[in-house]
Amino acid sequence: LMRQKGGPSAAQIGVLYRTNRQAKALEEAMIVHSVPYTVVGGISVYDRKVVKDLLAYLRLLTNPTDQGAFSRIVNMPPRFLGPKAVSKAQAWADKELTQQLKADLDKEEQREA
């Protein structure tokens, strides 16, 4: 977007599009150029369930201890896990990750010594 002296402010500009396919490109352009925007009459690309689920998978890959990401995707796609099974899986993962983190820290300390 080009800004001209005396031109309209961002609040006075509206962008209309015909298909939802166009929303992602428009939103990304707004973000890249730091243009404030509001989605009216639809859902922002980044607020869609499929995008949030994908981001949760990626967060869990980079940080296996991310409880929020685990909770979001533990049954996505549906795995028919009940609350008890999810709780047991979480407890097991916490124990295993804690042991792995301790082992990694011990190795690092040995290297530094």
Side-chain angles (χ1 to χ4, degrees), residues 9-10 13-14 21 35 40-41 49 51-52 56 58 72 76 81-82 84 88 102 105:
S9 69
I13 297 173
R21 266 191 323 208
V35 175
V40 178
K49 183 182 178 318
V51 173
K52 286 185 174 185
L58 294 173
R72 180 166 191 91
M76 284 296 142
L81 298 173
K84 191 173 181 179
K88 284 183 177 182
K102 283 181 182 176
L105 287 173

Side-chain angles (χ1 to χ4, degrees), residues 2-50:
M2 295 178 60
R3 297 182 189 220
Q4 298 174 349
K5 270 191 171 181
S9 69
Q12 296 172 316
I13 297 173
V15 178
L16 304 174
Y17 53 90
R18 286 185 67 178
T19 63
N20 287 337
R21 266 191 323 208
Q22 296 168 311
K24 183 175 184 244
L26 288 169
E27 280 193 63
E28 286 177 351
M30 299 286 192
I31 291 168
V32 166
H33 295 288
S34 300
V35 175
Y37 69 94
T38 302
V39 176
V40 178
I43 298 173
S44 170
V45 170
Y46 299 101
D47 287 337
R48 294 184 181 149
K49 183 182 178 318
V50 67

Side-chain angles (χ1 to χ4, degrees), residues 51-101:
V51 173
K52 286 185 174 185
D53 290 348
L54 175 63
L55 291 174
Y57 274 102
L58 294 173
R59 284 192 351 246
L60 201 58
L61 283 172
T62 59
N63 179 10
T65 62
D66 188 329
Q67 298 292 326
F70 176 81
S71 296
R72 180 166 191 91
I73 59 137
V74 68
N75 268 329
M76 284 296 142
R79 295 178 179 94
F80 306 105
L81 298 173
K84 191 173 181 179
V86 170
S87 178
K88 284 183 177 182
Q90 186 65 54
W92 177 84
D94 288 345
K95 179 183 171 191
E96 292 298 316
L97 287 171
T98 300
Q99 289 176 355
Q100 184 63 44
L101 287 172

